[in-house]
Amino acid sequence: MPKHTIDPNQWINLYSDYLFNYTITRVNDRERAKDLVQDTFVAGLKSMKNFKGEASERTWLISILKRKIIDHYRKINSNKGKAEVRISYSGDESEGDWLEERVADPFDKTAEDTIENTELGMAIHDCLGKLPEKQAKVFKMKTLLNYETEAICNELEITASNLWVIIHRARTAMAACMEKNWF
């Protein structure tokens, strides 16, 4: 399979509308959506060296944007997100960068290796544990592992329409659980 390439000179022309439309449906604030897209492009520029070419450029940018949106909601909905949390890098005793700036880019290996978001992981794990077994399995396969619909249907011997009913119920239950236990 050929490797994908990255060309930041084309990002605005190729992806700004798509990323904005993706964001506006999730944050419902035009100015905040524009800021998140801009933050995504900046994070992409900072982490270009980590682009492996395994995903398309658009998929890579969307994954950065998703993290930015999560960070946005974490910041406004969580007392932890409102707190001024600083971290120290490479054993330096001086204050490091703001946590939100470092966590926001999943392709920045320093941040990835330095920061583990165990509380969020535990909340997701707990909520998954509360789902019926089949819903949890479908949710993991589709949402977390990015399996194709056909592969899930074949493995679980279900129809595509049944899959979408199950995934809808699982997502609804996960959202309610995360709202209650995390946000």
Side-chain angles (χ1 to χ4, degrees), residues 106-172:
F107 296 97
D108 182 337
K109 292 300 180 193
T110 305
E112 186 175 88
D113 293 341
T114 305
I115 302 168
E116 289 184 288
N117 194 337
T118 54
E119 288 182 4
L120 178 59
M122 287 170 41
I124 292 170
H125 181 74
D126 289 346
C127 288
L128 272 172
K130 294 175 183 174
L131 292 178
E133 185 178 343
K134 193 169 197 172
Q135 281 184 14
K137 187 169 189 166
V138 168
F139 182 86
K140 286 179 199 173
M141 292 172 80
K142 186 69 179 164
T143 307
L144 302 178
L145 302 173
N146 294 317
Y147 280 32
E148 294 293 327
T149 299
E150 187 177 347
I152 298 169
C153 291
N154 288 340
E155 184 170 327
L156 300 178
E157 298 177 350
I158 58 175
T159 65
S161 59
N162 191 7
L163 169 75
W164 291 112
V165 169
I166 294 169
I167 197 70
H168 172 73
R169 289 177 180 162
R171 287 177 176 163
T172 302

Side-chain angles (χ1 to χ4, degrees), residues 74-91:
R74 186 177 301 138
K75 185 176 179 183
I76 64 172
N77 289 323
S78 167
N79 289 332
K80 295 179 200 106
K82 292 175 186 169
E84 294 181 8
V85 181
R86 295 180 184 244
I87 57 176
S88 176
Y89 296 99
S90 63

Side-chain angles (χ1 to χ4, degrees), residues 50-104:
N50 296 321
F51 181 75
K52 295 182 177 102
E54 295 169 0
S56 72
E57 193 174 47
R58 185 175 93 165
T59 300
W60 181 70
L61 288 168
I62 281 289
S63 69
I64 295 171
L65 178 60
K66 286 178 181 178
R67 191 66 172 149
K68 295 288 182 191
I69 293 168
I70 290 168
D71 288 345
H72 163 71
Y73 279 108
R74 186 177 301 138
K75 185 176 179 183
I76 64 172
N77 289 323
S78 167
N79 289 332
K80 295 179 200 106
K82 292 175 186 169
E84 294 181 8
V85 181
R86 295 180 184 244
I87 57 176
S88 176
Y89 296 99
S90 63
D92 187 358
E93 294 299 317
S94 64
E95 289 182 320
D97 294 335
W98 288 100
L99 179 60
E100 65 185 349
E101 292 174 6
R102 302 303 295 171
V103 171

